[in-house]
Amino acid sequence: MAAASFTVRAESVCAIATIRCRSAQDALLTANTYLRLGAAYVSIETPGGQSMSPDRLDALLSEAGGRSLP
């Protein structure tokens, strides 16, 4: 059985990338990296299937106060 993963999807004018990350923190770091590289759109899908922006995931991580997200 595969471990749950977060999926980061980044789109720019000339490319689309989909990256699987093992943790919420890794997904947030990956999403922010793509934004700094100029991606026009970045979203993160949680293991539960919910799609959210990097800002929303950052807020959830802050609210969790260091506890890991499912």
Side-chain angles (χ1 to χ4, degrees):
M1 177 185 234
S5 63
F6 288 78
T7 303
V8 177
R9 181 175 173 89
E11 299 178 16
S12 69
V13 173
C14 57
I16 297 173
T18 303
I19 307 293
R20 294 200 187 276
C21 300
R22 293 184 181 207
S23 71
Q25 291 83 1
D26 287 346
L28 186 58
L29 178 64
T30 302
N32 285 330
T33 298
Y34 275 107
L35 287 170
R36 281 194 304 272
L37 291 172
Y41 173 78
V42 176
S43 68
I44 300 169
E45 185 176 311
T46 67
Q50 182 180 7
S51 184
M52 63 182 65
S53 70
D55 289 338
R56 177 67 182 134
L57 181 58
D58 189 29
L60 288 173
L61 288 173
S62 295
E63 289 173 13
R67 298 185 310 266
S68 62
L69 292 176

